Amino acid sequence: MDKKYQIFISSTYTDLRVARNKVIEAILTMYHFPVGMEMFSAGDDDQWTVIKQTIDSSDYYVVIIGHRYGSVANDGISYTEKEYDYAKQNGIPVLAFIRERNVATTEEEREKIPELQQKLEKFIEKAKSNKMVSFWTTPDDLATKVTLALYKAFKSHPRSGWIRADEAPSPQLGNELAELSKENRDLRIQLEELKKQLNVNKPKLEVLLNNQTHIELKYNEDLYVNPLPIPEKITTIPEHLKEYVNEKEVEEYNKAIPEAIEAIQHYNAQLRIQKKLTQNGFNFNINVKNIGSSKANSIYVDIYFPKEILLLDSDEVEELINLKQPTIPNNPIKTAERKFNQKQIGFKAALLGNFDVLSSLAYPSASSAFSTNRISKLLGPTTPKSAFSWKNEDGNSITVKINSLIHKRGRNLEEEEYVLIPTKPGEYKIRISIICEEYPETDTFDIPLIVK
């Protein structure tokens, strides 16, 4: 069908009269219908209503911007800009043509009022953001660019347009189209039903911790530990001990202090975690079930714990169970004090004839009063690391991998147990993320976690 388009032409009038005529002639030469301000009489009761109706019935909107802002409506905006905004707002394809700013102009072609000059510049910036915008110099140049731009718009943004009455679809064709539309709608409904049926025969994975739908932990605030004291460098040697200490011993001791401090600080931190483990630790294993109606393949489960919860795997718990004190360099001053005291007591014992006093000088060694029985009960016998789950590098999440799981079956990952340690009370969420070969997208849900 030979379709004709109605094209609305918008611009200021007196300064662009010649340019408008050239554009109108170009559109008529293309066998399309130009419309614009020429059709609005000065006596219209509501000119803006007529303009909007005409734009609504047009297929394309062409705005020509020169060096004048034009007639201003009661709201302070020119009719040209109002028409532009209305066309954009109603989805009419807009083609903007802005006159180059450095071309020579006559006095009547230029805006004289400063306020309107500013509004014109803002309007130009708005039009420049339009996808279909061109710049012109002469009326002939404008007509050529409008013609080319319209041909492109006809292809890229085809509109309903106008056709001859004898080329319009017959009633019979309209009925056929209606029947096809109904058939298409019915087929879409059937397709949706088939999709629902297919979704029924899908695996559905469920993840629980210790077969529970929620977790409750207890938090004990009594977390006092007896840390190892931090050694200090030796700066002075008491006069009475100088015969028992040499400078080389002091120098070697001071040199070893930084490394010893680092080891002791690490030990004390682990000691605090060890205390939290015995007081607040909660061991769990992961249960994955397929409650759907078909087999699931290549299953990955990511379990994310809140930052307020410390997550330990069996290796980390075993390390805490077997926590060993760091080697502390012997303090030459304390060794000298022992020697000095032994000598003094030796003199007294000799005078009293009681040498058994020397047996009471055994120096007490530092030891941890911590009992590992509580931790051992948390995990039971040490088990080899599981090939099905692992703690991730972020330190607070676990990934589970299962090659396949048939429907109506589950798997308890008892090969590797984990321990949760709450650091403060509150209500939290454990985020579970599941993906498998049969899932179109990731399934994500939360398990409530309450720390009392």
Side-chain angles (χ1 to χ4, degrees), residues 123-167:
F123 180 33
I124 289 172
E125 289 302 316
K126 182 195 296 184
K128 282 181 180 179
S129 65
N130 190 64
K131 290 182 180 179
M132 294 180 282
V133 60
S134 298
F135 296 86
W136 60 281
T137 53
T138 65
D140 288 328
D141 176 44
L142 172 64
T144 300
K145 289 182 175 177
V146 169
T147 302
L148 293 173
L150 282 173
Y151 275 127
K152 290 180 182 178
F154 295 163
K155 290 185 176 295
S156 61
H157 298 82
R159 304 280 287 170
S160 56
W162 304 84
I163 58 172
R164 294 173 60 90
D166 57 359
E167 294 179 353

mmCIF file of all heavy atoms in Angstrom, residues 123-167:
data_model
loop_
_atom_site.group_PDB
_atom_site.id
_atom_site.type_symbol
_atom_site.label_atom_id
_atom_site.label_comp_id
_atom_site.label_asym_id
_atom_site.label_seq_id
_atom_site.Cartn_x
_atom_site.Cartn_y
_atom_site.Cartn_z
ATOM 1 N N PHE A 123 16.572 26.189 25.003
ATOM 2 C CA PHE A 123 15.770 25.373 24.097
ATOM 3 C C PHE A 123 16.681 24.658 23.090
ATOM 4 O O PHE A 123 16.490 23.474 22.780
ATOM 5 C CB PHE A 123 14.751 26.265 23.394
ATOM 6 C CG PHE A 123 13.864 25.527 22.422
ATOM 7 C CD1 PHE A 123 13.478 24.207 22.641
ATOM 8 C CD2 PHE A 123 13.403 26.160 21.265
ATOM 9 C CE1 PHE A 123 12.655 23.531 21.749
ATOM 10 C CE2 PHE A 123 12.579 25.498 20.377
ATOM 11 C CZ PHE A 123 12.211 24.183 20.605
ATOM 12 N N ILE A 124 17.709 25.353 22.616
ATOM 13 C CA ILE A 124 18.646 24.750 21.658
ATOM 14 C C ILE A 124 19.379 23.574 22.308
ATOM 15 O O ILE A 124 19.552 22.508 21.705
ATOM 16 C CB ILE A 124 19.646 25.807 21.131
ATOM 17 C CG1 ILE A 124 18.923 26.788 20.199
ATOM 18 C CG2 ILE A 124 20.808 25.146 20.394
ATOM 19 C CD1 ILE A 124 19.757 27.972 19.773
ATOM 20 N N GLU A 125 19.813 23.757 23.563
ATOM 21 C CA GLU A 125 20.504 22.666 24.262
ATOM 22 C C GLU A 125 19.581 21.459 24.422
ATOM 23 O O GLU A 125 20.011 20.304 24.305
ATOM 24 C CB GLU A 125 20.990 23.145 25.637
ATOM 25 C CG GLU A 125 22.143 24.121 25.586
ATOM 26 C CD GLU A 125 23.354 23.555 24.857
ATOM 27 O OE1 GLU A 125 23.703 22.387 25.108
ATOM 28 O OE2 GLU A 125 23.933 24.275 24.028
ATOM 29 N N LYS A 126 18.301 21.728 24.685
ATOM 30 C CA LYS A 126 17.335 20.637 24.806
ATOM 31 C C LYS A 126 17.198 19.900 23.473
ATOM 32 O O LYS A 126 17.198 18.659 23.427
ATOM 33 C CB LYS A 126 15.986 21.189 25.248
ATOM 34 C CG LYS A 126 14.911 20.124 25.457
ATOM 35 C CD LYS A 126 13.513 20.721 25.525
ATOM 36 C CE LYS A 126 13.351 21.637 26.731
ATOM 37 N NZ LYS A 126 11.943 22.132 26.847
ATOM 38 N N ALA A 127 17.100 20.653 22.379
ATOM 39 C CA ALA A 127 16.921 20.046 21.059
ATOM 40 C C ALA A 127 18.160 19.267 20.627
ATOM 41 O O ALA A 127 18.059 18.268 19.909
ATOM 42 C CB ALA A 127 16.585 21.126 20.031
ATOM 43 N N LYS A 128 19.340 19.721 21.061
ATOM 44 C CA LYS A 128 20.573 19.021 20.695
ATOM 45 C C LYS A 128 20.610 17.606 21.264
ATOM 46 O O LYS A 128 21.284 16.726 20.709
ATOM 47 C CB LYS A 128 21.791 19.795 21.215
ATOM 48 C CG LYS A 128 22.166 21.003 20.374
ATOM 49 C CD LYS A 128 23.407 21.669 20.971
ATOM 50 C CE LYS A 128 23.820 22.889 20.167
ATOM 51 N NZ LYS A 128 25.016 23.558 20.759
ATOM 52 N N SER A 129 19.917 17.383 22.381
ATOM 53 C CA SER A 129 19.910 16.052 22.991
ATOM 54 C C SER A 129 19.013 15.080 22.244
ATOM 55 O O SER A 129 18.983 13.890 22.545
ATOM 56 C CB SER A 129 19.460 16.145 24.456
ATOM 57 O OG SER A 129 18.118 16.581 24.532
ATOM 58 N N ASN A 130 18.262 15.573 21.264
ATOM 59 C CA ASN A 130 17.372 14.718 20.485
ATOM 60 C C ASN A 130 18.194 13.770 19.605
ATOM 61 O O ASN A 130 19.256 14.141 19.100
ATOM 62 C CB ASN A 130 16.461 15.587 19.608
ATOM 63 C CG ASN A 130 15.355 14.782 18.961
ATOM 64 O OD1 ASN A 130 14.502 14.241 19.634
ATOM 65 N ND2 ASN A 130 15.392 14.683 17.635
ATOM 66 N N LYS A 131 17.723 12.532 19.428
ATOM 67 C CA LYS A 131 18.472 11.549 18.642
ATOM 68 C C LYS A 131 18.569 11.950 17.179
ATOM 69 O O LYS A 131 19.579 11.693 16.520
ATOM 70 C CB LYS A 131 17.811 10.173 18.759
ATOM 71 C CG LYS A 131 17.961 9.554 20.136
ATOM 72 C CD LYS A 131 17.347 8.176 20.185
ATOM 73 C CE LYS A 131 17.509 7.549 21.571
ATOM 74 N NZ LYS A 131 16.892 6.205 21.638
ATOM 75 N N MET A 132 17.499 12.565 16.638
ATOM 76 C CA MET A 132 17.492 12.969 15.228
ATOM 77 C C MET A 132 17.609 14.490 15.150
ATOM 78 O O MET A 132 16.615 15.212 15.201
ATOM 79 C CB MET A 132 16.214 12.469 14.541
ATOM 80 C CG MET A 132 16.140 10.955 14.463
ATOM 81 S SD MET A 132 14.652 10.310 13.649
ATOM 82 C CE MET A 132 13.452 10.493 14.965
ATOM 83 N N VAL A 133 18.847 14.984 15.077
ATOM 84 C CA VAL A 133 19.095 16.421 15.045
ATOM 85 C C VAL A 133 20.129 16.710 13.959
ATOM 86 O O VAL A 133 21.083 15.950 13.770
ATOM 87 C CB VAL A 133 19.580 16.929 16.428
ATOM 88 C CG1 VAL A 133 20.868 16.242 16.839
ATOM 89 C CG2 VAL A 133 19.757 18.433 16.423
ATOM 90 N N SER A 134 19.926 17.824 13.215
ATOM 91 C CA SER A 134 20.856 18.251 12.177
ATOM 92 C C SER A 134 21.032 19.761 12.267
ATOM 93 O O SER A 134 20.206 20.470 12.867
ATOM 94 C CB SER A 134 20.341 17.874 10.783
ATOM 95 O OG SER A 134 20.221 16.476 10.650
ATOM 96 N N PHE A 135 22.092 20.274 11.631
ATOM 97 C CA PHE A 135 22.366 21.709 11.613
ATOM 98 C C PHE A 135 22.352 22.190 10.156
ATOM 99 O O PHE A 135 22.840 21.503 9.256
ATOM 100 C CB PHE A 135 23.720 21.998 12.275
ATOM 101 C CG PHE A 135 23.744 21.639 13.737
ATOM 102 C CD1 PHE A 135 24.044 20.343 14.143
ATOM 103 C CD2 PHE A 135 23.448 22.586 14.706
ATOM 104 C CE1 PHE A 135 24.051 20.004 15.489
ATOM 105 C CE2 PHE A 135 23.454 22.260 16.056
ATOM 106 C CZ PHE A 135 23.758 20.961 16.442
ATOM 107 N N TRP A 136 21.799 23.389 9.934
ATOM 108 C CA TRP A 136 21.658 23.899 8.573
ATOM 109 C C TRP A 136 22.142 25.348 8.474
ATOM 110 O O TRP A 136 22.262 26.045 9.485
ATOM 111 C CB TRP A 136 20.192 23.796 8.114
ATOM 112 C CG TRP A 136 19.218 24.564 8.963
ATOM 113 C CD1 TRP A 136 18.707 24.205 10.150
ATOM 114 C CD2 TRP A 136 18.662 25.857 8.663
ATOM 115 N NE1 TRP A 136 17.853 25.154 10.643
ATOM 116 C CE2 TRP A 136 17.800 26.191 9.731
ATOM 117 C CE3 TRP A 136 18.786 26.751 7.602
ATOM 118 C CZ2 TRP A 136 17.077 27.375 9.768
ATOM 119 C CZ3 TRP A 136 18.059 27.919 7.632
ATOM 120 C CH2 TRP A 136 17.217 28.237 8.714
ATOM 121 N N THR A 137 22.398 25.767 7.249
ATOM 122 C CA THR A 137 22.896 27.140 7.021
ATOM 123 C C THR A 137 21.916 27.950 6.178
ATOM 124 O O THR A 137 21.497 29.038 6.571
ATOM 125 C CB THR A 137 24.271 27.098 6.338
ATOM 126 O OG1 THR A 137 24.187 26.287 5.150
ATOM 127 C CG2 THR A 137 25.326 26.507 7.270
ATOM 128 N N THR A 138 21.518 27.411 5.029
ATOM 129 C CA THR A 138 20.631 28.133 4.113
ATOM 130 C C THR A 138 19.315 27.379 3.985
ATOM 131 O O THR A 138 19.240 26.184 4.297
ATOM 132 C CB THR A 138 21.275 28.254 2.722
ATOM 133 O OG1 THR A 138 21.418 26.936 2.159
ATOM 134 C CG2 THR A 138 22.652 28.918 2.821
ATOM 135 N N PRO A 139 18.254 28.056 3.494
ATOM 136 C CA PRO A 139 16.973 27.364 3.289
ATOM 137 C C PRO A 139 17.091 26.148 2.380
ATOM 138 O O PRO A 139 16.459 25.108 2.630
ATOM 139 C CB PRO A 139 16.081 28.443 2.694
ATOM 140 C CG PRO A 139 16.620 29.724 3.265
ATOM 141 C CD PRO A 139 18.095 29.540 3.323
ATOM 142 N N ASP A 140 17.890 26.238 1.312
ATOM 143 C CA ASP A 140 18.060 25.091 0.409
ATOM 144 C C ASP A 140 18.760 23.932 1.131
ATOM 145 O O ASP A 140 18.401 22.759 0.960
ATOM 146 C CB ASP A 140 18.866 25.500 -0.825
ATOM 147 C CG ASP A 140 18.063 26.396 -1.762
ATOM 148 O OD1 ASP A 140 16.827 26.221 -1.820
ATOM 149 O OD2 ASP A 140 18.651 27.270 -2.412
ATOM 150 N N ASP A 141 19.780 24.280 1.939
ATOM 151 C CA ASP A 141 20.481 23.258 2.713
ATOM 152 C C ASP A 141 19.502 22.589 3.674
ATOM 153 O O ASP A 141 19.506 21.361 3.859
ATOM 154 C CB ASP A 141 21.636 23.905 3.478
ATOM 155 C CG ASP A 141 22.362 22.928 4.386
ATOM 156 O OD1 ASP A 141 22.641 21.794 3.941
ATOM 157 O OD2 ASP A 141 22.654 23.292 5.546
ATOM 158 N N LEU A 142 18.629 23.384 4.290
ATOM 159 C CA LEU A 142 17.630 22.859 5.216
ATOM 160 C C LEU A 142 16.681 21.897 4.507
ATOM 161 O O LEU A 142 16.399 20.802 5.011
ATOM 162 C CB LEU A 142 16.845 24.015 5.849
ATOM 163 C CG LEU A 142 15.638 23.618 6.701
ATOM 164 C CD1 LEU A 142 16.068 22.809 7.916
ATOM 165 C CD2 LEU A 142 14.858 24.859 7.119
ATOM 166 N N ALA A 143 16.155 22.287 3.345
ATOM 167 C CA ALA A 143 15.199 21.441 2.629
ATOM 168 C C ALA A 143 15.809 20.084 2.285
ATOM 169 O O ALA A 143 15.153 19.037 2.416
ATOM 170 C CB ALA A 143 14.742 22.153 1.357
ATOM 171 N N THR A 144 17.091 20.094 1.876
ATOM 172 C CA THR A 144 17.767 18.838 1.534
ATOM 173 C C THR A 144 17.889 17.935 2.758
ATOM 174 O O THR A 144 17.609 16.729 2.707
ATOM 175 C CB THR A 144 19.165 19.130 0.970
ATOM 176 O OG1 THR A 144 19.034 19.946 -0.203
ATOM 177 C CG2 THR A 144 19.877 17.839 0.595
ATOM 178 N N LYS A 145 18.286 18.531 3.887
ATOM 179 C CA LYS A 145 18.491 17.735 5.096
ATOM 180 C C LYS A 145 17.165 17.215 5.660
ATOM 181 O O LYS A 145 17.105 16.109 6.191
ATOM 182 C CB LYS A 145 19.238 18.552 6.141
ATOM 183 C CG LYS A 145 20.702 18.764 5.754
ATOM 184 C CD LYS A 145 21.484 19.534 6.792
ATOM 185 C CE LYS A 145 22.955 19.594 6.398
ATOM 186 N NZ LYS A 145 23.775 20.388 7.314
ATOM 187 N N VAL A 146 16.091 18.000 5.529
ATOM 188 C CA VAL A 146 14.784 17.530 5.981
ATOM 189 C C VAL A 146 14.336 16.338 5.141
ATOM 190 O O VAL A 146 13.821 15.333 5.672
ATOM 191 C CB VAL A 146 13.747 18.665 5.919
ATOM 192 C CG1 VAL A 146 12.338 18.116 6.129
ATOM 193 C CG2 VAL A 146 14.047 19.726 6.969
ATOM 194 N N THR A 147 14.521 16.415 3.829
ATOM 195 C CA THR A 147 14.122 15.318 2.948
ATOM 196 C C THR A 147 14.839 14.026 3.311
ATOM 197 O O THR A 147 14.217 12.960 3.463
ATOM 198 C CB THR A 147 14.417 15.680 1.481
ATOM 199 O OG1 THR A 147 13.714 16.888 1.139
ATOM 200 C CG2 THR A 147 13.981 14.567 0.545
ATOM 201 N N LEU A 148 16.173 14.105 3.453
ATOM 202 C CA LEU A 148 16.954 12.915 3.784
ATOM 203 C C LEU A 148 16.566 12.349 5.155
ATOM 204 O O LEU A 148 16.425 11.136 5.326
ATOM 205 C CB LEU A 148 18.451 13.250 3.767
ATOM 206 C CG LEU A 148 19.050 13.589 2.399
ATOM 207 C CD1 LEU A 148 20.488 14.055 2.542
ATOM 208 C CD2 LEU A 148 18.973 12.385 1.468
ATOM 209 N N ALA A 149 16.378 13.250 6.134
ATOM 210 C CA ALA A 149 16.038 12.803 7.484
ATOM 211 C C ALA A 149 14.670 12.135 7.515
ATOM 212 O O ALA A 149 14.470 11.137 8.240
ATOM 213 C CB ALA A 149 16.080 13.980 8.450
ATOM 214 N N LEU A 150 13.710 12.651 6.753
ATOM 215 C CA LEU A 150 12.378 12.047 6.736
ATOM 216 C C LEU A 150 12.407 10.655 6.116
ATOM 217 O O LEU A 150 11.762 9.722 6.621
ATOM 218 C CB LEU A 150 11.404 12.945 5.984
ATOM 219 C CG LEU A 150 10.891 14.163 6.753
ATOM 220 C CD1 LEU A 150 10.075 15.074 5.841
ATOM 221 C CD2 LEU A 150 10.040 13.729 7.954
ATOM 222 N N TYR A 151 13.159 10.477 5.025
ATOM 223 C CA TYR A 151 13.261 9.158 4.406
ATOM 224 C C TYR A 151 13.822 8.139 5.407
ATOM 225 O O TYR A 151 13.369 6.996 5.508
ATOM 226 C CB TYR A 151 14.143 9.206 3.155
ATOM 227 C CG TYR A 151 13.396 9.624 1.913
ATOM 228 C CD1 TYR A 151 13.851 10.671 1.104
ATOM 229 C CD2 TYR A 151 12.220 8.961 1.517
ATOM 230 C CE1 TYR A 151 13.168 11.059 -0.039
ATOM 231 C CE2 TYR A 151 11.528 9.347 0.378
ATOM 232 C CZ TYR A 151 12.006 10.395 -0.397
ATOM 233 O OH TYR A 151 11.315 10.780 -1.522
ATOM 234 N N LYS A 152 14.828 8.565 6.174
ATOM 235 C CA LYS A 152 15.405 7.671 7.187
ATOM 236 C C LYS A 152 14.389 7.361 8.282
ATOM 237 O O LYS A 152 14.282 6.222 8.752
ATOM 238 C CB LYS A 152 16.653 8.316 7.807
ATOM 239 C CG LYS A 152 17.845 8.389 6.868
ATOM 240 C CD LYS A 152 19.036 9.037 7.576
ATOM 241 C CE LYS A 152 20.224 9.156 6.631
ATOM 242 N NZ LYS A 152 21.386 9.821 7.297
ATOM 243 N N ALA A 153 13.636 8.390 8.704
ATOM 244 C CA ALA A 153 12.640 8.193 9.761
ATOM 245 C C ALA A 153 11.523 7.264 9.310
ATOM 246 O O ALA A 153 10.999 6.466 10.108
ATOM 247 C CB ALA A 153 12.075 9.540 10.202
ATOM 248 N N PHE A 154 11.132 7.362 8.020
ATOM 249 C CA PHE A 154 10.081 6.479 7.508
ATOM 250 C C PHE A 154 10.485 5.010 7.672
ATOM 251 O O PHE A 154 9.646 4.146 7.950
ATOM 252 C CB PHE A 154 9.803 6.762 6.036
ATOM 253 C CG PHE A 154 9.237 8.129 5.772
ATOM 254 C CD1 PHE A 154 9.263 8.683 4.486
ATOM 255 C CD2 PHE A 154 8.696 8.894 6.792
ATOM 256 C CE1 PHE A 154 8.744 9.940 4.240
ATOM 257 C CE2 PHE A 154 8.180 10.157 6.545
ATOM 258 C CZ PHE A 154 8.204 10.682 5.270
ATOM 259 N N LYS A 155 11.802 4.728 7.498
ATOM 260 C CA LYS A 155 12.274 3.338 7.584
ATOM 261 C C LYS A 155 12.519 2.910 9.030
ATOM 262 O O LYS A 155 12.199 1.802 9.424
ATOM 263 C CB LYS A 155 13.567 3.169 6.766
ATOM 264 C CG LYS A 155 13.352 3.262 5.265
ATOM 265 C CD LYS A 155 14.640 2.978 4.515
ATOM 266 C CE LYS A 155 14.414 2.980 2.997
ATOM 267 N NZ LYS A 155 13.528 1.886 2.577
ATOM 268 N N SER A 156 13.143 3.818 9.813
ATOM 269 C CA SER A 156 13.511 3.435 11.186
ATOM 270 C C SER A 156 12.346 3.563 12.167
ATOM 271 O O SER A 156 12.305 2.839 13.167
ATOM 272 C CB SER A 156 14.685 4.292 11.668
ATOM 273 O OG SER A 156 14.331 5.664 11.689
ATOM 274 N N HIS A 157 11.413 4.488 11.902
ATOM 275 C CA HIS A 157 10.271 4.677 12.798
ATOM 276 C C HIS A 157 8.976 4.727 11.979
ATOM 277 O O HIS A 157 8.335 5.775 11.871
ATOM 278 C CB HIS A 157 10.415 5.974 13.604
ATOM 279 C CG HIS A 157 11.603 6.008 14.502
ATOM 280 N ND1 HIS A 157 12.861 6.338 14.039
ATOM 281 C CD2 HIS A 157 11.734 5.732 15.825
ATOM 282 C CE1 HIS A 157 13.709 6.286 15.048
ATOM 283 N NE2 HIS A 157 13.061 5.911 16.139
ATOM 284 N N PRO A 158 8.584 3.618 11.341
ATOM 285 C CA PRO A 158 7.364 3.633 10.506
ATOM 286 C C PRO A 158 6.125 3.933 11.352
ATOM 287 O O PRO A 158 6.016 3.491 12.496
ATOM 288 C CB PRO A 158 7.313 2.213 9.921
ATOM 289 C CG PRO A 158 8.153 1.383 10.845
ATOM 290 C CD PRO A 158 9.210 2.289 11.385
ATOM 291 N N ARG A 159 5.213 4.713 10.763
ATOM 292 C CA ARG A 159 4.003 5.135 11.478
ATOM 293 C C ARG A 159 2.768 4.646 10.711
ATOM 294 O O ARG A 159 2.861 4.115 9.597
ATOM 295 C CB ARG A 159 3.987 6.658 11.606
ATOM 296 C CG ARG A 159 5.231 7.232 12.296
ATOM 297 C CD ARG A 159 5.144 7.114 13.784
ATOM 298 N NE ARG A 159 4.177 8.086 14.304
ATOM 299 C CZ ARG A 159 3.738 8.116 15.537
ATOM 300 N NH1 ARG A 159 4.159 7.209 16.405
ATOM 301 N NH2 ARG A 159 2.873 9.025 15.944
ATOM 302 N N SER A 160 1.596 4.875 11.320
ATOM 303 C CA SER A 160 0.362 4.373 10.701
ATOM 304 C C SER A 160 0.052 5.082 9.381
ATOM 305 O O SER A 160 -0.357 4.458 8.410
ATOM 306 C CB SER A 160 -0.810 4.534 11.675
ATOM 307 O OG SER A 160 -0.921 5.890 12.087
ATOM 308 N N GLY A 161 0.245 6.410 9.314
ATOM 309 C CA GLY A 161 0.052 7.145 8.067
ATOM 310 C C GLY A 161 -1.381 7.107 7.555
ATOM 311 O O GLY A 161 -2.331 6.789 8.287
ATOM 312 N N TRP A 162 -1.496 7.427 6.252
ATOM 313 C CA TRP A 162 -2.809 7.477 5.591
ATOM 314 C C TRP A 162 -2.753 6.664 4.301
ATOM 315 O O TRP A 162 -1.733 6.619 3.621
ATOM 316 C CB TRP A 162 -3.183 8.926 5.244
ATOM 317 C CG TRP A 162 -3.169 9.853 6.430
ATOM 318 C CD1 TRP A 162 -2.098 10.484 6.952
ATOM 319 C CD2 TRP A 162 -4.285 10.227 7.230
ATOM 320 N NE1 TRP A 162 -2.451 11.241 8.038
ATOM 321 C CE2 TRP A 162 -3.807 11.106 8.231
ATOM 322 C CE3 TRP A 162 -5.651 9.931 7.207
ATOM 323 C CZ2 TRP A 162 -4.619 11.683 9.194
ATOM 324 C CZ3 TRP A 162 -6.469 10.499 8.158
ATOM 325 C CH2 TRP A 162 -5.954 11.358 9.147
ATOM 326 N N ILE A 163 -3.863 5.996 3.988
ATOM 327 C CA ILE A 163 -3.956 5.257 2.722
ATOM 328 C C ILE A 163 -5.284 5.596 2.052
ATOM 329 O O ILE A 163 -6.222 6.091 2.698
ATOM 330 C CB ILE A 163 -3.855 3.738 2.945
ATOM 331 C CG1 ILE A 163 -4.973 3.274 3.892
ATOM 332 C CG2 ILE A 163 -2.490 3.350 3.483
ATOM 333 C CD1 ILE A 163 -5.065 1.763 4.016
ATOM 334 N N ARG A 164 -5.377 5.288 0.756
ATOM 335 C CA ARG A 164 -6.619 5.504 0.020
ATOM 336 C C ARG A 164 -7.685 4.539 0.534
ATOM 337 O O ARG A 164 -7.389 3.430 0.966
ATOM 338 C CB ARG A 164 -6.410 5.273 -1.477
ATOM 339 C CG ARG A 164 -5.485 6.291 -2.134
ATOM 340 C CD ARG A 164 -5.194 5.880 -3.581
ATOM 341 N NE ARG A 164 -6.416 5.815 -4.351
ATOM 342 C CZ ARG A 164 -6.929 6.845 -5.036
ATOM 343 N NH1 ARG A 164 -6.305 8.012 -5.033
ATOM 344 N NH2 ARG A 164 -8.034 6.707 -5.728
ATOM 345 N N ALA A 165 -8.930 4.983 0.486
ATOM 346 C CA ALA A 165 -10.039 4.173 1.004
ATOM 347 C C ALA A 165 -10.151 2.845 0.273
ATOM 348 O O ALA A 165 -10.449 1.805 0.886
ATOM 349 C CB ALA A 165 -11.356 4.946 0.897
ATOM 350 N N ASP A 166 -9.880 2.841 -1.031
ATOM 351 C CA ASP A 166 -10.030 1.588 -1.779
ATOM 352 C C ASP A 166 -8.866 0.622 -1.539
ATOM 353 O O ASP A 166 -8.890 -0.512 -1.995
ATOM 354 C CB ASP A 166 -10.171 1.872 -3.283
ATOM 355 C CG ASP A 166 -8.988 2.665 -3.838
ATOM 356 O OD1 ASP A 166 -8.071 3.002 -3.036
ATOM 357 O OD2 ASP A 166 -8.975 2.958 -5.034
ATOM 358 N N GLU A 167 -7.823 1.088 -0.803
ATOM 359 C CA GLU A 167 -6.711 0.200 -0.471
ATOM 360 C C GLU A 167 -6.808 -0.334 0.953
ATOM 361 O O GLU A 167 -5.974 -1.130 1.380
ATOM 362 C CB GLU A 167 -5.373 0.943 -0.630
ATOM 363 C CG GLU A 167 -5.069 1.323 -2.073
ATOM 364 C CD GLU A 167 -3.751 2.067 -2.190
ATOM 365 O OE1 GLU A 167 -3.167 2.396 -1.116
ATOM 366 O OE2 GLU A 167 -3.303 2.330 -3.310
#
